[in-house]
Structures are given as structure tokens and as C-alpha cells.
Amino acid sequence: MKKILNGLEYNVIIFICGVMLAMYVFGMILHDILIGVDISNAEAGITVFPLGTVMAAFTLLIMIYFTGATSMCRRFGLLVSIGATRKEFFADRLFNNVVATTIYAVVLVIMARIETSFLCSKWAGYSFEFDLWQMITWKSILLSCVVTICIPMLFGSLILHFGKAGFWVMWVVYMIGCIGMSKGKEIAKPFIGFAKSNEILIGLAVVFISLIAILISWLIVRKESVKL
């Protein structure tokens, strides 16, 4: 039982890292094609950007928040049905999320470093539209990991309890977020200055919300029954 409960989901981690790598390479190739087209058309103000890392990061978020959440439901049914307590299941899920998220964060940082160096070398005469590498600090990494560990557990618990209704609510929220991304800069602009001058407050708020998500997730799981 302990081996099952403390076992990492290596297959899931390897699969997600593989998909991230594929999207990363695709993004880098697509970026060079787009820049080449702009150069051939003599476009003015051409800038470069780490499209590969951005695509890998968005792919990771989608897979963690949906694939990860639904896999939580399957693992709950498996472990609890063979005798694990809900507390053991929750500890197992949290352990897997912590280790997996740490691995994903390391992979993304390596990708960002490689792509930034590549852009600086191949497209040395062009400025960055945004330098992703400068945004990567230990604080941003830590806060991102906390959110990525906690929020999917809440989503998974909601799907576990409400079934398809919970999944479709998540899907609607996701689609609204995707539609809003086209105006992301305009929406985020008023908050950028506030965030820069209140880093500690923002960090504490993120941690607090994440801990509330974990608490709600546990309150749902501890009363949940196995649905066969």
C-alpha cells in the first residue's frame, strides 16, 4: 500500500514533459518562420519573443489544470477502493503535485534560458518584445509553483464531487480566460504598477488563496464517496 500511495506518477510526468518539449520546438520553429516573413516583407519595428517557452508554458497549464484534475478523480477511485484512507489519498495527491510541479518548473526554466540565448545569438540585431528570462525570479517561480500545486487540487475535488457539471464549469471559465487573453495587456495594465510596488502583498494574497483552495479541496475529499 505504501508503495502505491508514495509512488510518483512517472508516466504522467514524462508524458507532460514530452508534450511541452514538442510544443517548445514547434513554437521556436514557428517564431523563426514569422520573423522570416516579416523580414522578407520589410516590416518596420520587428521584435523577437520567446514563443517556444510561452507555448510550452500554456500547454503545461492546460494539461495540469484539466488532465491533472481529471486524473485525480481516477486515482481517488483506485486508491480508496483498495483500502486507502482519504487522508492517505490526499497526502499522495499533494506529494505527487509538489514533485511534478518542481520538475515542470525546472524544465521551463531550462527552456527559457536556452531560447533566450538562442534569440540573442541568432537575432542579435532585433530587440525583444518582452524578455521572459528577466521575469523569471525565485519569487515568481515559487509563487507559480504554489498556485500550480494547490489550484488543480481544488478543481479536481470539484470534478470529483460534482462530476460533469464541475468539469463544464471549469471549461467555461477556461474559455472566458482564453477570449480575454486577446485584451490581456489592456486588462492587466492598471494592475502592473500596483503589483510592482506591492510584491509582498501580492505574494501573501497568492499564498492565502492557494491555502484556502487546499483547505476546500480537503473538506470535499474527506466526505467524498467512491463512485463506481
Side-chain angles (χ1 to χ4, degrees), residues 41-67:
N41 292 333
E43 296 284 348
I46 297 175
T47 56
V48 297
F49 53 95
L51 182 59
T53 306
V54 171
M55 291 187 70
F58 274 109
T59 299
L60 173 63
L61 289 177
I62 292 170
M63 297 190 75
I64 284 180
Y65 283 87
F66 285 93
T67 305

Side-chain angles (χ1 to χ4, degrees), residues 175-192:
M175 291 305 297
I176 292 173
C178 288
I179 293 171
M181 280 177 59
S182 61
K183 297 185 177 180
K185 289 184 179 179
E186 290 78 3
I187 295 173
K189 197 171 182 180
F191 302 100
I192 293 176

Side-chain angles (χ1 to χ4, degrees), residues 101-132:
T101 300
T102 302
I103 293 172
Y104 301 145
V106 171
V107 170
L108 275 177
V109 169
I110 293 173
M111 286 179 172
R113 179 69 273 178
I114 292 174
E115 187 171 23
T116 300
S117 298
F118 174 78
L119 292 174
C120 290
S121 174
K122 184 173 182 179
W123 305 104
Y126 300 92
S127 60
F128 278 83
E129 185 170 337
F130 62 92
D131 189 350
L132 185 63

Side-chain angles (χ1 to χ4, degrees), residues 6-22:
N6 294 323
L8 277 175
E9 296 176 313
Y10 293 106
N11 56 333
V12 176
I13 295 173
I14 292 171
F15 174 71
I16 291 179
C17 286
V19 176
M20 284 171 58
L21 179 59

